Amino acid sequence: MHLVVLGATGPTGRVLTDQALAAGHHVTAVARRADTLPARPGLTAVAADATREGALDAAVADADAVLSALGVRPSRAPVSLYSTGVANAVAAMARHGVKRLLAVSSAVLDPDWRPSGEFLFNHVLDPYVNRVVARTAHEDMRRMEALLAAGALDWTVVRPAGLFDHPAVTAYRTASGSADGVYTSRADLAAAMLREVVENAHPRAAMGVVTVDTRPGFLKLLREEVLRRR
Ligand SMILES: NC(=O)c1ccc[n+]([C@@H]2O[C@H](COP(=O)([O-])OP(=O)(O)OC[C@H]3O[C@@H](n4cnc5c(N)ncnc54)[C@H](OP(=O)(O)O)[C@@H]3O)[C@@H](O)[C@H]2O)c1
């Protein structure tokens, strides 16, 4: 397939691109800093700002599907990247007759997401940290999900839990809406997206994905996901 990966220079986008190429897909990798991606057979890098109207037209022409891993750094600043970027992708796809789009959102978008056996997370970290620190991003993810639901595309919103890096794909779990778990490795998120784009099991719906076979150490997570990215 010809897949367009939005946010291809981010940690998820890079894993998604690597796995897609390894599976034999052609990838058009889009980001503002797309020139930092190493050249490989099957890869076309396109530097574009997804928030600029019309900026994604050249990238999506001839695509079979668009996979968005667009994201912002955690902050309390207003966020519009998810809704604006995906709206621009939807408009470009409509102009080029591309119908399938997968967009990374978050398990937090499911108000009923309460991972089993995670008392501290469910009663302290999620309500008082997760939903406060990244509130503006989650609000914009909600706008993104709403615009997809109101449109005519064949979309799937993919909702991971807390992201971490792990070198290999594990026996991840998926579920409609959100999945039961606190963490999702980027390798599992990418694998679930590539499987979904082929199998189309969650058309016009949200799909949760979680990693259950391994979990990150708390200090490593803090160092890599919060301190390194500030
Ligand atoms: N961290 C978590 O625990 C967690 C949990 C649930 C969901 N998520 C979501 O998972 C997704 C992936 O997260 P991640 O941490 O792996 O990646 P990330 O660091 O959020 O990656 C951001 C990507 O978006 C691109 N981007 C940002 N603004 C852009 C613009 N205006 N135009 C084009 N590209 C733009 C960046 O590339 P350039 O800078 O090169 O443009 C980069 O490739 C995000 O949507 C995130 O919100 C994260």
Side-chain angles (χ1 to χ4, degrees), residues 6-13 30-34 48-51 69-73 81-82 104-107 137 141 160-164 186 189 225 229:
L6 305 181
T9 56
T12 296
V30 182
R32 291 166 302 181
R33 296 169 298 123
D49 181 342
T51 63
L70 288 171
V72 293
R73 284 163 188 256
L81 173 67
Y82 299 92
V104 177
S105 173
S106 167
M141 287 176 185
L163 292 180
F164 69 104
R186 292 186 171 89
L189 173 59
E225 300 297 332
R229 294 160 63 90

mmCIF file of all heavy atoms in Angstrom, residues 6-13 30-34 48-51 69-73 81-82 104-107 137 141 160-164 186 189 225 229, ligand 1:
data_model
loop_
_atom_site.group_PDB
_atom_site.id
_atom_site.type_symbol
_atom_site.label_atom_id
_atom_site.label_comp_id
_atom_site.label_asym_id
_atom_site.label_seq_id
_atom_site.Cartn_x
_atom_site.Cartn_y
_atom_site.Cartn_z
ATOM 1 N N LEU A 6 1.737 11.159 8.789
ATOM 2 C CA LEU A 6 1.867 12.539 9.269
ATOM 3 C C LEU A 6 2.526 12.504 10.649
ATOM 4 O O LEU A 6 2.180 11.674 11.487
ATOM 5 C CB LEU A 6 0.493 13.211 9.385
ATOM 6 C CG LEU A 6 -0.378 13.212 8.127
ATOM 7 C CD1 LEU A 6 -1.709 13.937 8.410
ATOM 8 C CD2 LEU A 6 0.348 13.875 6.960
ATOM 9 N N GLY A 7 3.468 13.405 10.892
ATOM 10 C CA GLY A 7 4.212 13.365 12.161
ATOM 11 C C GLY A 7 5.282 12.290 12.127
ATOM 12 O O GLY A 7 5.585 11.658 13.142
ATOM 13 N N ALA A 8 5.883 12.099 10.955
ATOM 14 C CA ALA A 8 6.809 10.974 10.750
ATOM 15 C C ALA A 8 8.149 11.163 11.443
ATOM 16 O O ALA A 8 8.912 10.199 11.555
ATOM 17 C CB ALA A 8 7.026 10.765 9.248
ATOM 18 N N THR A 9 8.452 12.377 11.930
ATOM 19 C CA THR A 9 9.727 12.580 12.634
ATOM 20 C C THR A 9 9.588 12.400 14.136
ATOM 21 O O THR A 9 10.584 12.432 14.851
ATOM 22 C CB THR A 9 10.283 13.999 12.369
ATOM 23 O OG1 THR A 9 9.280 14.939 12.757
ATOM 24 C CG2 THR A 9 10.651 14.190 10.911
ATOM 25 N N GLY A 10 8.361 12.236 14.633
ATOM 26 C CA GLY A 10 8.164 12.021 16.064
ATOM 27 C C GLY A 10 8.483 10.579 16.424
ATOM 28 O O GLY A 10 8.664 9.726 15.547
ATOM 29 N N PRO A 11 8.563 10.281 17.728
ATOM 30 C CA PRO A 11 8.934 8.917 18.121
ATOM 31 C C PRO A 11 7.954 7.852 17.625
ATOM 32 O O PRO A 11 8.385 6.773 17.201
ATOM 33 C CB PRO A 11 8.998 8.978 19.644
ATOM 34 C CG PRO A 11 8.548 10.329 20.055
ATOM 35 C CD PRO A 11 8.494 11.213 18.866
ATOM 36 N N THR A 12 6.661 8.135 17.616
ATOM 37 C CA THR A 12 5.712 7.152 17.073
ATOM 38 C C THR A 12 5.808 7.115 15.556
ATOM 39 O O THR A 12 5.831 6.042 14.938
ATOM 40 C CB THR A 12 4.263 7.490 17.499
ATOM 41 O OG1 THR A 12 4.179 7.377 18.920
ATOM 42 C CG2 THR A 12 3.254 6.550 16.849
ATOM 43 N N GLY A 13 5.871 8.293 14.937
ATOM 44 C CA GLY A 13 5.933 8.354 13.474
ATOM 45 C C GLY A 13 7.133 7.618 12.910
ATOM 46 O O GLY A 13 7.043 6.974 11.855
ATOM 47 N N VAL A 30 5.640 12.701 6.289
ATOM 48 C CA VAL A 30 5.409 14.144 6.321
ATOM 49 C C VAL A 30 5.684 14.705 7.712
ATOM 50 O O VAL A 30 5.227 14.143 8.718
ATOM 51 C CB VAL A 30 3.943 14.465 5.940
ATOM 52 C CG1 VAL A 30 3.713 15.972 5.922
ATOM 53 C CG2 VAL A 30 3.586 13.842 4.598
ATOM 54 N N ALA A 31 6.420 15.789 7.758
ATOM 55 C CA ALA A 31 6.649 16.551 8.992
ATOM 56 C C ALA A 31 7.329 17.837 8.575
ATOM 57 O O ALA A 31 7.805 17.951 7.435
ATOM 58 C CB ALA A 31 7.529 15.775 9.967
ATOM 59 N N ARG A 32 7.404 18.785 9.505
ATOM 60 C CA ARG A 32 8.110 20.031 9.147
ATOM 61 C C ARG A 32 9.595 19.751 8.956
ATOM 62 O O ARG A 32 10.246 20.327 8.122
ATOM 63 C CB ARG A 32 7.884 21.093 10.243
ATOM 64 C CG ARG A 32 6.451 21.601 10.295
ATOM 65 C CD ARG A 32 6.197 22.361 11.574
ATOM 66 N NE ARG A 32 6.468 21.530 12.751
ATOM 67 C CZ ARG A 32 6.312 21.913 13.994
ATOM 68 N NH1 ARG A 32 5.871 23.124 14.246
ATOM 69 N NH2 ARG A 32 6.584 21.092 14.990
ATOM 70 N N ARG A 33 10.143 18.817 9.771
ATOM 71 C CA ARG A 33 11.587 18.506 9.678
ATOM 72 C C ARG A 33 11.808 17.173 8.963
ATOM 73 O O ARG A 33 12.630 16.367 9.381
ATOM 74 C CB ARG A 33 12.184 18.468 11.074
ATOM 75 C CG ARG A 33 12.138 19.817 11.805
ATOM 76 C CD ARG A 33 12.484 19.684 13.280
ATOM 77 N NE ARG A 33 11.520 18.840 13.974
ATOM 78 C CZ ARG A 33 11.822 17.738 14.656
ATOM 79 N NH1 ARG A 33 13.078 17.351 14.742
ATOM 80 N NH2 ARG A 33 10.888 17.039 15.247
ATOM 81 N N ALA A 34 11.044 16.945 7.898
ATOM 82 C CA ALA A 34 11.146 15.657 7.191
ATOM 83 C C ALA A 34 12.541 15.413 6.635
ATOM 84 O O ALA A 34 12.930 14.264 6.396
ATOM 85 C CB ALA A 34 10.111 15.599 6.066
ATOM 86 N N ALA A 48 6.397 19.535 5.290
ATOM 87 C CA ALA A 48 5.170 20.332 5.208
ATOM 88 C C ALA A 48 4.675 20.643 6.609
ATOM 89 O O ALA A 48 4.828 19.830 7.524
ATOM 90 C CB ALA A 48 4.083 19.563 4.442
ATOM 91 N N ASP A 49 4.083 21.823 6.744
ATOM 92 C CA ASP A 49 3.430 22.199 8.002
ATOM 93 C C ASP A 49 1.957 21.832 7.858
ATOM 94 O O ASP A 49 1.230 22.427 7.057
ATOM 95 C CB ASP A 49 3.599 23.713 8.228
ATOM 96 C CG ASP A 49 2.957 24.168 9.530
ATOM 97 O OD1 ASP A 49 2.115 23.435 10.088
ATOM 98 O OD2 ASP A 49 3.303 25.268 9.985
ATOM 99 N N ALA A 50 1.532 20.838 8.625
ATOM 100 C CA ALA A 50 0.174 20.302 8.473
ATOM 101 C C ALA A 50 -0.897 21.328 8.805
ATOM 102 O O ALA A 50 -2.062 21.144 8.440
ATOM 103 C CB ALA A 50 0.012 19.071 9.365
ATOM 104 N N THR A 51 -0.532 22.413 9.499
ATOM 105 C CA THR A 51 -1.545 23.406 9.860
ATOM 106 C C THR A 51 -1.795 24.412 8.733
ATOM 107 O O THR A 51 -2.698 25.232 8.834
ATOM 108 C CB THR A 51 -1.122 24.192 11.134
ATOM 109 O OG1 THR A 51 0.068 24.913 10.849
ATOM 110 C CG2 THR A 51 -0.905 23.257 12.301
ATOM 111 N N ALA A 69 0.233 10.631 13.119
ATOM 112 C CA ALA A 69 0.866 10.543 14.443
ATOM 113 C C ALA A 69 1.310 11.937 14.855
ATOM 114 O O ALA A 69 2.309 12.105 15.553
ATOM 115 C CB ALA A 69 2.047 9.582 14.397
ATOM 116 N N LEU A 70 0.551 12.953 14.382
ATOM 117 C CA LEU A 70 0.855 14.338 14.745
ATOM 118 C C LEU A 70 0.734 14.503 16.247
ATOM 119 O O LEU A 70 -0.139 13.895 16.878
ATOM 120 C CB LEU A 70 -0.145 15.292 14.080
ATOM 121 C CG LEU A 70 -0.033 15.524 12.578
ATOM 122 C CD1 LEU A 70 -1.245 16.326 12.101
ATOM 123 C CD2 LEU A 70 1.272 16.237 12.236
ATOM 124 N N GLY A 71 1.568 15.343 16.817
ATOM 125 C CA GLY A 71 1.457 15.575 18.248
ATOM 126 C C GLY A 71 2.176 16.830 18.678
ATOM 127 O O GLY A 71 2.984 17.393 17.937
ATOM 128 N N VAL A 72 1.841 17.267 19.895
ATOM 129 C CA VAL A 72 2.477 18.458 20.477
ATOM 130 C C VAL A 72 3.169 18.057 21.775
ATOM 131 O O VAL A 72 2.840 17.051 22.386
ATOM 132 C CB VAL A 72 1.432 19.556 20.803
ATOM 133 C CG1 VAL A 72 0.825 20.115 19.531
ATOM 134 C CG2 VAL A 72 0.351 19.031 21.735
ATOM 135 N N ARG A 73 4.139 18.860 22.206
ATOM 136 C CA ARG A 73 4.760 18.644 23.505
ATOM 137 C C ARG A 73 3.757 18.958 24.597
ATOM 138 O O ARG A 73 2.946 19.889 24.432
ATOM 139 C CB ARG A 73 5.958 19.591 23.680
ATOM 140 C CG ARG A 73 7.168 19.171 22.898
ATOM 141 C CD ARG A 73 8.140 20.329 22.791
ATOM 142 N NE ARG A 73 9.199 19.955 21.874
ATOM 143 C CZ ARG A 73 10.420 19.595 22.267
ATOM 144 N NH1 ARG A 73 10.733 19.605 23.530
ATOM 145 N NH2 ARG A 73 11.319 19.232 21.389
ATOM 146 N N LEU A 81 -3.269 21.824 16.733
ATOM 147 C CA LEU A 81 -2.604 20.992 15.721
ATOM 148 C C LEU A 81 -3.446 19.790 15.296
ATOM 149 O O LEU A 81 -3.539 19.474 14.107
ATOM 150 C CB LEU A 81 -1.257 20.495 16.250
ATOM 151 C CG LEU A 81 -0.541 19.487 15.348
ATOM 152 C CD1 LEU A 81 -0.096 20.140 14.053
ATOM 153 C CD2 LEU A 81 0.649 18.845 16.066
ATOM 154 N N TYR A 82 -4.044 19.105 16.275
ATOM 155 C CA TYR A 82 -4.771 17.872 15.937
ATOM 156 C C TYR A 82 -5.954 18.181 15.010
ATOM 157 O O TYR A 82 -6.109 17.563 13.960
ATOM 158 C CB TYR A 82 -5.273 17.172 17.210
ATOM 159 C CG TYR A 82 -4.165 16.757 18.131
ATOM 160 C CD1 TYR A 82 -3.734 17.598 19.155
ATOM 161 C CD2 TYR A 82 -3.525 15.536 17.982
ATOM 162 C CE1 TYR A 82 -2.699 17.236 20.000
ATOM 163 C CE2 TYR A 82 -2.490 15.162 18.824
ATOM 164 C CZ TYR A 82 -2.080 16.017 19.830
ATOM 165 O OH TYR A 82 -1.048 15.657 20.661
ATOM 166 N N VAL A 104 -3.980 9.126 15.515
ATOM 167 C CA VAL A 104 -3.687 8.839 16.923
ATOM 168 C C VAL A 104 -4.350 9.898 17.790
ATOM 169 O O VAL A 104 -4.199 11.098 17.556
ATOM 170 C CB VAL A 104 -2.172 8.823 17.194
ATOM 171 C CG1 VAL A 104 -1.901 8.592 18.677
ATOM 172 C CG2 VAL A 104 -1.486 7.741 16.361
ATOM 173 N N SER A 105 -5.087 9.441 18.779
ATOM 174 C CA SER A 105 -5.729 10.298 19.761
ATOM 175 C C SER A 105 -5.219 9.837 21.135
ATOM 176 O O SER A 105 -4.004 9.652 21.292
ATOM 177 C CB SER A 105 -7.249 10.151 19.593
ATOM 178 O OG SER A 105 -7.947 10.814 20.598
ATOM 179 N N SER A 106 -6.077 9.591 22.090
ATOM 180 C CA SER A 106 -5.613 9.141 23.412
ATOM 181 C C SER A 106 -6.732 8.415 24.136
ATOM 182 O O SER A 106 -7.910 8.777 23.999
ATOM 183 C CB SER A 106 -5.185 10.347 24.244
ATOM 184 O OG SER A 106 -5.016 9.970 25.593
ATOM 185 N N ALA A 107 -6.349 7.443 24.983
ATOM 186 C CA ALA A 107 -7.339 6.732 25.810
ATOM 187 C C ALA A 107 -8.091 7.697 26.721
ATOM 188 O O ALA A 107 -9.241 7.434 27.101
ATOM 189 C CB ALA A 107 -6.637 5.665 26.653
ATOM 190 N N ALA A 137 -4.394 19.717 24.924
ATOM 191 C CA ALA A 137 -4.193 18.745 23.831
ATOM 192 C C ALA A 137 -5.409 17.825 23.730
ATOM 193 O O ALA A 137 -5.897 17.539 22.629
ATOM 194 C CB ALA A 137 -2.920 17.935 24.069
ATOM 195 N N MET A 141 -7.845 17.092 20.646
ATOM 196 C CA MET A 141 -8.098 15.738 20.134
ATOM 197 C C MET A 141 -9.618 15.497 20.039
ATOM 198 O O MET A 141 -10.097 14.854 19.115
ATOM 199 C CB MET A 141 -7.497 14.690 21.068
ATOM 200 C CG MET A 141 -5.990 14.590 21.011
ATOM 201 S SD MET A 141 -5.446 13.394 22.255
ATOM 202 C CE MET A 141 -3.674 13.542 22.121
ATOM 203 N N PRO A 160 -4.097 5.242 22.217
ATOM 204 C CA PRO A 160 -3.162 4.561 23.102
ATOM 205 C C PRO A 160 -3.297 5.079 24.530
ATOM 206 O O PRO A 160 -3.864 6.146 24.764
ATOM 207 C CB PRO A 160 -1.796 4.968 22.526
ATOM 208 C CG PRO A 160 -2.035 6.324 21.957
ATOM 209 C CD PRO A 160 -3.461 6.329 21.450
ATOM 210 N N ALA A 161 -2.739 4.324 25.477
ATOM 211 C CA ALA A 161 -2.594 4.817 26.849
ATOM 212 C C ALA A 161 -1.235 5.520 26.927
ATOM 213 O O ALA A 161 -0.765 6.047 25.917
ATOM 214 C CB ALA A 161 -2.725 3.638 27.804
ATOM 215 N N GLY A 162 -0.591 5.544 28.087
ATOM 216 C CA GLY A 162 0.678 6.260 28.216
ATOM 217 C C GLY A 162 1.759 5.646 27.336
ATOM 218 O O GLY A 162 2.047 4.452 27.436
ATOM 219 N N LEU A 163 2.362 6.467 26.484
ATOM 220 C CA LEU A 163 3.329 5.936 25.512
ATOM 221 C C LEU A 163 4.711 5.745 26.122
ATOM 222 O O LEU A 163 5.149 6.535 26.951
ATOM 223 C CB LEU A 163 3.439 6.875 24.314
ATOM 224 C CG LEU A 163 2.211 6.959 23.412
ATOM 225 C CD1 LEU A 163 2.468 7.940 22.270
ATOM 226 C CD2 LEU A 163 1.859 5.587 22.862
ATOM 227 N N PHE A 164 5.384 4.701 25.697
ATOM 228 C CA PHE A 164 6.785 4.482 26.059
ATOM 229 C C PHE A 164 7.466 3.746 24.917
ATOM 230 O O PHE A 164 6.804 3.200 24.029
ATOM 231 C CB PHE A 164 6.911 3.703 27.377
ATOM 232 C CG PHE A 164 6.481 2.259 27.314
ATOM 233 C CD1 PHE A 164 7.439 1.238 27.274
ATOM 234 C CD2 PHE A 164 5.146 1.900 27.297
ATOM 235 C CE1 PHE A 164 7.059 -0.091 27.231
ATOM 236 C CE2 PHE A 164 4.758 0.572 27.245
ATOM 237 C CZ PHE A 164 5.717 -0.429 27.216
ATOM 238 N N ARG A 186 5.224 2.332 21.750
ATOM 239 C CA ARG A 186 5.073 2.897 20.398
ATOM 240 C C ARG A 186 5.171 1.806 19.336
ATOM 241 O O ARG A 186 4.556 1.912 18.277
ATOM 242 C CB ARG A 186 6.105 3.998 20.182
ATOM 243 C CG ARG A 186 5.840 5.229 21.037
ATOM 244 C CD ARG A 186 6.770 6.367 20.708
ATOM 245 N NE ARG A 186 6.369 7.586 21.392
ATOM 246 C CZ ARG A 186 6.780 7.959 22.614
ATOM 247 N NH1 ARG A 186 7.618 7.187 23.284
ATOM 248 N NH2 ARG A 186 6.354 9.083 23.165
ATOM 249 N N LEU A 189 1.726 0.363 19.259
ATOM 250 C CA LEU A 189 0.801 1.327 18.637
ATOM 251 C C LEU A 189 0.952 1.291 17.115
ATOM 252 O O LEU A 189 -0.043 1.207 16.379
ATOM 253 C CB LEU A 189 1.093 2.731 19.183
ATOM 254 C CG LEU A 189 0.360 3.902 18.538
ATOM 255 C CD1 LEU A 189 -1.154 3.748 18.651
ATOM 256 C CD2 LEU A 189 0.806 5.224 19.173
ATOM 257 N N GLU A 225 9.889 10.655 28.823
ATOM 258 C CA GLU A 225 8.635 11.212 28.291
ATOM 259 C C GLU A 225 8.328 12.615 28.810
ATOM 260 O O GLU A 225 7.561 13.336 28.202
ATOM 261 C CB GLU A 225 7.455 10.282 28.621
ATOM 262 C CG GLU A 225 7.603 8.884 28.050
ATOM 263 C CD GLU A 225 7.632 8.875 26.520
ATOM 264 O OE1 GLU A 225 7.047 9.782 25.905
ATOM 265 O OE2 GLU A 225 8.251 7.959 25.955
ATOM 266 N N ARG A 229 11.606 15.876 26.978
ATOM 267 C CA ARG A 229 10.790 16.521 25.942
ATOM 268 C C ARG A 229 10.371 17.931 26.309
ATOM 269 O O ARG A 229 9.645 18.552 25.569
ATOM 270 C CB ARG A 229 9.548 15.657 25.684
ATOM 271 C CG ARG A 229 9.933 14.329 25.082
ATOM 272 C CD ARG A 229 8.842 13.325 25.267
ATOM 273 N NE ARG A 229 7.627 13.695 24.589
ATOM 274 C CZ ARG A 229 7.331 13.361 23.352
ATOM 275 N NH1 ARG A 229 8.179 12.654 22.666
ATOM 276 N NH2 ARG A 229 6.210 13.723 22.802
HETATM 277 N N1 LIG B 1 2.849 10.675 25.421
HETATM 278 C C1 LIG B 1 1.814 9.948 25.767
HETATM 279 O O1 LIG B 1 1.799 9.293 26.824
HETATM 280 C C2 LIG B 1 0.627 9.879 24.845
HETATM 281 C C3 LIG B 1 -0.521 9.200 25.261
HETATM 282 C C4 LIG B 1 -1.587 9.092 24.386
HETATM 283 C C5 LIG B 1 -1.516 9.660 23.118
HETATM 284 N N2 LIG B 1 -0.405 10.350 22.743
HETATM 285 C C6 LIG B 1 -0.352 10.900 21.382
HETATM 286 O O2 LIG B 1 0.425 10.028 20.574
HETATM 287 C C7 LIG B 1 0.907 10.745 19.411
HETATM 288 C C8 LIG B 1 2.358 10.444 19.176
HETATM 289 O O3 LIG B 1 3.117 10.919 20.263
HETATM 290 P P1 LIG B 1 4.711 10.858 20.210
HETATM 291 O O4 LIG B 1 5.158 11.309 21.586
HETATM 292 O O5 LIG B 1 5.183 9.552 19.730
HETATM 293 O O6 LIG B 1 5.089 11.915 19.101
HETATM 294 P P2 LIG B 1 5.231 13.516 19.169
HETATM 295 O O7 LIG B 1 6.491 13.905 19.855
HETATM 296 O O8 LIG B 1 3.968 14.110 19.660
HETATM 297 O O9 LIG B 1 5.452 13.789 17.577
HETATM 298 C C9 LIG B 1 5.006 14.929 17.016
HETATM 299 C C10 LIG B 1 5.110 14.815 15.500
HETATM 300 O O10 LIG B 1 4.216 15.759 14.947
HETATM 301 C C11 LIG B 1 4.948 16.552 14.003
HETATM 302 N N3 LIG B 1 4.381 17.875 13.941
HETATM 303 C C12 LIG B 1 4.133 18.736 14.966
HETATM 304 N N4 LIG B 1 3.602 19.878 14.492
HETATM 305 C C13 LIG B 1 3.528 19.723 13.133
HETATM 306 C C14 LIG B 1 3.060 20.554 12.080
HETATM 307 N N5 LIG B 1 2.579 21.786 12.299
HETATM 308 N N6 LIG B 1 3.108 20.073 10.815
HETATM 309 C C15 LIG B 1 3.621 18.839 10.535
HETATM 310 N N7 LIG B 1 4.072 18.015 11.506
HETATM 311 C C16 LIG B 1 4.024 18.456 12.783
HETATM 312 C C17 LIG B 1 6.384 16.574 14.548
HETATM 313 O O11 LIG B 1 7.311 16.782 13.491
HETATM 314 P P3 LIG B 1 8.049 18.169 13.140
HETATM 315 O O12 LIG B 1 8.359 18.840 14.443
HETATM 316 O O13 LIG B 1 9.250 17.708 12.356
HETATM 317 O O14 LIG B 1 7.077 18.906 12.307
HETATM 318 C C18 LIG B 1 6.507 15.128 15.010
HETATM 319 O O15 LIG B 1 6.818 14.307 13.907
HETATM 320 C C19 LIG B 1 0.598 12.217 19.708
HETATM 321 O O16 LIG B 1 -0.583 12.553 19.022
HETATM 322 C C20 LIG B 1 0.338 12.235 21.202
HETATM 323 O O17 LIG B 1 -0.496 13.291 21.593
HETATM 324 C C21 LIG B 1 0.674 10.469 23.571
#
